[in-house]
Amino acid sequence: MGRGQAALLDIDGVLTIGWKPLPGAVEALRQLDGDSVRYVLLTNTTSRTRRSIADTLAAHGFPVGIEQVLTAPAATAERLAGTRCLLLNSGDIEDDLAPLRLVDDPADAEVVLVGGAGPEFGYRALDRAFAALRGGARLVAMHRNAYWRTPEGLRLDSGAFVAGLEYATGVRAEVVGKPAGAFFAAALAHLGVSAAEAVMVGDDIESDVLGAQHHGIGGVLVRTGKAAPGAPERADGEPDHVLDSVADLPELLARLRAG
């Protein structure tokens, strides 16, 4: 079996913006179902739990259940279960982080855990993270995305803050979400396919597309979200395929399967 049998799909900027469906996105996933293409949503989103994401998408008509949503926070909780973590994140994901032991005192932290950026990333919070790292804690990032797209435009994400903590402490961050190989491998195992049978569809050329290609998965860039015309170009490589939107994905996958 060749490429196009399965798809890993990012959510924000690919299926939705501001959690509202992009044109043709609901129909595209329904077409994948009709074509018997296996798919899973593989997201670095750290503002919502898996249950909240699945329920929100289903309410907009997407044929998605919680079992099809794999998130960086859930992968992080599995990896760091039982670890004392000082959390720096914008959004309510504590249900998905239940296996962790969240602490407030930097002196108690084994790990400084960084999620998505937002108003919580002020000086006081970053200085507490700095103190924990200086005290010997590890630095773990759910992702290190540079920015994301909202209905109001691009917004700074946590990659800049992770880089700042690395610079200030000399501690290198471990990344759990995309583009980490273990995250892609978990998605492939969930679908029961090999890397050679799958494509990753995303709007982040570094984390989604090039990250997937590095692990043998086909990379499909959609020109929505972060990759919409006028967005900063950050690419160190080329995608295998470029689509105007996810609405064009079923046709691409049909061509790949036929070829």
Side-chain angles (χ1 to χ4, degrees), residues 109-251:
E110 298 173 275
V111 165
V112 170
L113 179 58
V114 183
E120 295 83 357
F121 281 61
Y123 178 82
R124 191 180 299 268
L126 288 166
D127 193 48
R128 289 172 65 242
F130 172 76
L133 294 170
R134 289 284 296 166
R138 295 156 51 203
L139 178 59
V140 176
M142 297 185 204
H143 63 75
R144 56 187 310 153
N145 295 351
Y147 50 85
W148 81 99
R149 184 173 291 278
T150 72
E152 293 75 37
L154 296 180
R155 293 291 183 266
L156 184 68
D157 211 341
S158 57
F161 298 98
V162 172
L165 290 170
E166 289 177 326
Y167 173 77
T169 64
V171 176
R172 181 69 178 173
E174 172 192 350
V175 179
V176 179
K178 295 174 293 185
F183 199 34
F184 288 119
L188 295 174
H190 183 81
L191 293 173
V193 299
S194 68
E197 295 172 307
V199 298
M200 173 72 216
V201 185
D203 67 326
D204 187 317
I205 190 164
E206 295 287 349
S207 292
D208 294 336
V209 177
L210 302 183
Q213 289 175 334
H214 182 71
H215 298 288
I217 303 168
V220 180
L221 181 70
V222 291
R223 286 294 185 188
T224 50
K226 296 177 190 176
E233 294 288 346
R234 299 175 55 86
D236 294 322
E238 295 290 334
D240 294 306
H241 306 278
V242 178
L243 302 177
D244 288 336
S245 79
V246 75
D248 301 322
L249 180 64
E251 181 182 351

Side-chain angles (χ1 to χ4, degrees), residues 8-209:
L8 320 180
L9 297 113
D10 187 27
I11 299 175
D12 191 28
V14 174
L15 301 178
T16 66
I17 289 182
W19 297 104
K20 300 296 177 60
L22 283 163
V26 172
E27 294 77 10
L29 260 61
R30 289 178 175 170
Q31 184 62 53
L32 295 189
D33 279 338
D35 293 341
S36 298
V37 174
R38 285 167 280 183
Y39 60 88
V40 68
L41 309 187
L42 191 67
T43 176
N44 280 347
T45 297
T46 59
S47 61
R48 297 183 180 220
T49 63
R50 290 177 67 215
R51 171 62 66 190
S52 174
I53 291 170
D55 288 350
T56 299
L57 293 176
H60 284 296
F62 286 100
V64 170
I66 190 172
E67 71 282 352
Q68 291 167 289
V69 180
L70 303 184
T71 69
T76 301
E78 182 176 350
R79 185 175 183 84
L80 298 178
T83 304
R84 298 191 305 275
C85 297
L86 182 70
L87 177 65
L88 182 55
N89 181 67
S90 182
D92 182 10
I93 54 172
E94 289 199 10
D95 284 351
D96 281 354
L97 298 181
L100 307 181
R101 297 170 59 190
L102 300 181
V103 300
D104 294 321
D105 188 343
D108 291 336
E110 298 173 275
V111 165
V112 170
L113 179 58
V114 183
E120 295 83 357
F121 281 61
Y123 178 82
R124 191 180 299 268
L126 288 166
D127 193 48
R128 289 172 65 242
F130 172 76
L133 294 170
R134 289 284 296 166
R138 295 156 51 203
L139 178 59
V140 176
M142 297 185 204
H143 63 75
R144 56 187 310 153
N145 295 351
Y147 50 85
W148 81 99
R149 184 173 291 278
T150 72
E152 293 75 37
L154 296 180
R155 293 291 183 266
L156 184 68
D157 211 341
S158 57
F161 298 98
V162 172
L165 290 170
E166 289 177 326
Y167 173 77
T169 64
V171 176
R172 181 69 178 173
E174 172 192 350
V175 179
V176 179
K178 295 174 293 185
F183 199 34
F184 288 119
L188 295 174
H190 183 81
L191 293 173
V193 299
S194 68
E197 295 172 307
V199 298
M200 173 72 216
V201 185
D203 67 326
D204 187 317
I205 190 164
E206 295 287 349
S207 292
D208 294 336
V209 177

